[in-house]
Amino acid sequence: MQPVLEMYTPDGFGLWPVAEVEPFGFLPLSGELSPAEVGSAVMRIAGCNDSDPDDNHPPGGADALDSFLHGLLTFDTLFAAGGLRVTDTSRGVTFQPGCCDGLEDWRDWHQLIDHGSPLGFGHDPVSPVAERFGDTVRLTVNAEQSDSPVIELPVAELRNLLAGVERDLDAFLRLAADWASRYLPGHCVPLTAALARLVDLPTPAKPP
């Protein structure tokens, strides 16, 4: 199980170095990313929250960097396209985040474990669904198909996988804090705090 971002790189992005990432593919988040991959992740997260100003969200600064980061640094509720991906390597089946999912919702998986609440991550034409049946969790790749591939795993295993997701996200936050101190030193503290708020984890200490 991996926390992933659905990627999209706008043409001509030049505010900081980014990696070449397949459009609409998924970038796994962990402490193993290169600086350019971290730059791509921060670019995508900021882009998800880069909306036109309105009465509730005043415009950012005239500077292109401040304007692009404004939503990420000021919005109360943040969004990042993606979520959690589960792969059964023995059967070649992958459960991907859906269009109604977001990385910020990753803790909803604990509701499935603790309360048995089904999770739906999309809608027609692709509707990933996670359900609990006793001590087993069934992940249906596409509930719109009667013969959809499924992944089944014990609840205890899913709990362990979620602990691994939290470790990966924490490692990514620490890596992003170090990246921001090098590439966006003037925004390091608020940027790191915003990323931590997005994934509902403690803000890592500022790098020395």
Side-chain angles (χ1 to χ4, degrees):
M1 177 176 265
Q2 300 170 305
V4 295
L5 280 175
E6 183 180 5
M7 298 303 297
Y8 170 72
T9 303
D11 292 335
F13 184 83
L15 294 177
W16 57 76
V18 295
E20 290 291 333
V21 181
E22 180 183 355
F24 306 109
F26 289 100
L27 176 66
L29 300 182
S30 71
E32 303 299 321
L33 300 182
S34 69
E37 288 172 328
V38 176
S40 292
V42 174
M43 176 274 301
R44 179 57 172 144
I45 294 170
C48 286
N49 297 281
D50 181 26
S51 61
D52 293 332
D54 56 29
D55 292 341
N56 296 320
H57 302 115
D63 176 83
L65 176 60
D66 288 341
S67 179
F68 184 64
L69 292 175
H70 180 71
L72 175 60
L73 300 186
T74 62
F75 288 1
D76 292 331
T77 302
L78 298 173
F79 164 73
L84 303 188
R85 178 172 64 186
V86 183
T87 302
D88 182 345
T89 55
S90 66
R91 297 171 52 237
V93 177
T94 301
F95 182 88
Q96 302 275 29
C99 60
C100 298
D101 193 19
L103 185 62
E104 73 283 358
D105 297 322
W106 75 273
R107 287 193 182 275
D108 287 353
W109 285 77
H110 288 286
Q111 298 298 316
L112 173 67
I113 289 178
D114 297 334
H115 305 294
S117 306
L119 300 177
F121 301 106
H123 53 77
D124 185 33
V126 180
S127 300
V129 174
E131 301 169 284
R132 177 173 176 174
F133 299 94
D135 293 330
T136 299
V137 172
R138 178 183 299 161
L139 309 179
T140 303
V141 173
N142 185 4
E144 302 293 334
Q145 298 178 347
S146 59
D147 59 347
S148 170
V150 300
I151 296 174
E152 293 189 343
L153 66 162
V155 169
E157 182 179 349
L158 178 57
R159 196 182 300 275
N160 290 335
L161 291 174
L162 287 172
V165 166
E166 184 165 341
R167 289 192 295 270
D168 282 340
L169 288 173
D170 181 69
F172 167 72
L173 285 177
R174 296 177 187 281
L175 198 62
D178 180 65
W179 176 90
S181 72
R182 295 167 56 193
Y183 291 93
L184 300 175
H187 298 81
C188 178
V189 172
L191 176 61
T192 304
L195 294 175
R197 191 169 77 254
L198 170 74
V199 297
D200 191 22
L201 287 174
T203 304
K206 181 180 178 180

